[in-house]
Amino acid sequence: MAAEATDAWQGWRAAAESALYGPEGFYRRPEGPAGHFRTSVHASPLYAAAVARLLCRVDEALGRPETLDLVDMAAGRGELVTGVLAALPAEVAARTRAYAVEIAARPPGLDPRVTWLAEPPGRVTGLLFANEWLDNVPVEVAEVDGSGAPRRVLVRRDGAERLGEPVTGAEAGWLARWWPLPEGGGEGLRAEIGLPRDEAWAAVAGTLERGLAVAVDYAHTRRSRPPFGTLTGFRDGRETAPVPDGSCDLTAHVALDACALPGARLLSQREALRALGITGARPSLELASTRPAEYVRALASAGEAAELTATGGFGDFGWLLQPVGVPDVLDAR
């Protein structure tokens, strides 16, 4: 990372921006995100198959256009977009124009059908899918001081914190609307000011001419904001203290209800995947005696589906569906 004194205090947004996306930031490391944490994409190929099914529904709603766009935001090393292309019916795959959006360099050996970009394409007709992207859009952290006033939390590169200036302006307006902190009390309570995520989602969803934009993430809503925030770090597969030095991921859950634009729909991953045919139902025991090899495969698939939809795990993730010019493609079928 750029040389920076460890005693320099700055807001969490600037500190995380540098630690994650700077020249030597966490997301530019060669091992990629999969070297440090596991997402639904890495848990099972069923996830990519479900996204492929979703793309097919969007394709149908669009009237099967000559060119169907698939945009994978925060694509990591291209695992999801590769899996979706492999799971698509041949006729749909032949019309699909696939993009992977990621700040890191294109990984070697990636499917040549995938266009690698640092920014999303300007005009999209199809599906834009952002899996665990918004939680890594850096935000400011606010904490209530002894007088009951929300103040920005400042941090050093070694992770030490102190309180800075009071939260004012648009950030104070966002807190009042989406994450109200108690007035005159509640010392130590925290909030993550999600305004940059709202703006990032509006910009990305704005590239969609027709189709569906989906954000999938750790999430909460106004009725259930965590009283002390959710900012944390991940390194080598384990949760760790958030230290903005580039050595770990820095993530905070997303206020998806604040990100939602008019016409959006919020649901859990459990609900979304079940609507796409991922249920976790165990195969019939009869299959074990008649076709044992098939039974073993079906049982393994059921276990993976159960993990993707589990309460207390991936199943609790939030899905934000933002349709543009198409009906709800996740209605009951």
Side-chain angles (χ1 to χ4, degrees):
M1 299 217 126
E4 188 175 332
T6 57
D7 60 352
W9 295 97
Q10 56 185 331
W12 264 107
R13 184 182 181 187
E17 185 73 32
S18 175
L20 294 177
Y21 306 117
E24 297 179 19
F26 177 81
Y27 277 97
R28 297 187 187 276
R29 293 169 60 147
E31 71 271 20
H36 295 271
F37 54 87
R38 190 165 174 262
T39 72
S40 297
V41 178
H42 309 117
S44 171
L46 292 175
Y47 192 75
V51 176
R53 202 167 296 133
L54 180 60
L55 179 60
C56 289
R57 291 191 185 183
V58 172
D59 181 46
E60 181 180 345
L62 290 170
R64 298 182 178 86
E66 182 177 340
T67 300
L68 177 67
D69 293 326
L70 168 63
V71 180
D72 180 11
M73 285 294 302
R77 297 302 179 263
E79 298 95 335
L80 178 60
V81 68
T82 300
V84 172
L85 287 174
L88 286 173
E91 188 277 328
V92 179
R95 291 186 286 110
T96 297
R97 182 168 51 189
Y99 299 94
V101 181
E102 181 58 68
I103 65 162
R106 181 187 182 99
L110 184 68
D111 190 319
R113 293 175 294 175
V114 178
T115 299
W116 195 263
L117 299 173
E119 300 287 341
R123 302 170 66 183
V124 176
T125 298
L127 175 64
L128 184 147
F129 201 86
N131 187 71
E132 296 195 42
W133 168 54
L134 287 172
D135 68 299
N136 289 125
V137 173
V139 295
E140 297 290 3
V141 177
E143 182 176 317
V144 178
D145 67 11
S147 68
R151 306 177 76 91
R152 287 176 71 217
V153 176
L154 306 182
V155 63
R156 294 189 315 203
R157 194 166 181 264
D158 62 4
E161 292 182 335
R162 75 179 188 192
L163 296 187
E165 68 276 14
V167 178
T168 60
E171 292 180 339
W174 189 94
L175 281 179
R177 180 179 181 186
W178 294 110
W179 198 326
L181 294 166
E183 296 183 7
E187 182 178 3
L189 295 181
R190 284 193 168 204
E192 288 120 16
I193 305 174
L195 185 59
R197 293 168 173 178
D198 299 357
E199 295 169 345
W201 179 247
V204 164
T207 67
L208 200 65
E209 294 195 329
R210 290 181 67 220
L212 178 67
V214 181
V216 181
D217 236 309
Y218 301 95
H220 45 65
T221 63
R222 196 177 188 278
R223 292 180 298 176
S224 59
R225 304 289 189 223
F228 300 101
T230 61
L231 178 66
T232 191
F234 282 92
R235 182 189 298 114
D236 299 328
R238 295 183 180 181
E239 190 169 4
T240 185
V243 178
D245 62 358
S247 69
C248 65
D249 185 29
L250 298 169
T251 176
H253 294 198
V254 182
L256 277 181
D257 51 342
C259 296
L261 300 168
R265 178 184 174 198
L266 291 174
L267 66 165
S268 69
Q269 175 155 301
R270 185 179 311 105
E271 295 169 315
L273 291 185
R274 285 176 178 171
L276 292 166
I278 306 297
T279 65
R282 294 172 64 91
S284 166
L285 284 175
E286 182 182 352
L287 190 64
S289 57
T290 57
R291 297 192 296 277
E294 184 177 336
Y295 174 80
V296 170
R297 288 193 297 270
L299 190 63
S301 180
E304 293 173 3
E307 182 182 9
L308 291 174
T309 58
T311 300
F314 289 134
D316 293 341
F317 273 43
W319 280 46
L320 168 58
L321 308 181
Q322 194 77 55
V324 176
V326 297
D328 185 353
V329 297
L330 271 190
D331 56 354
R333 295 193 174 202

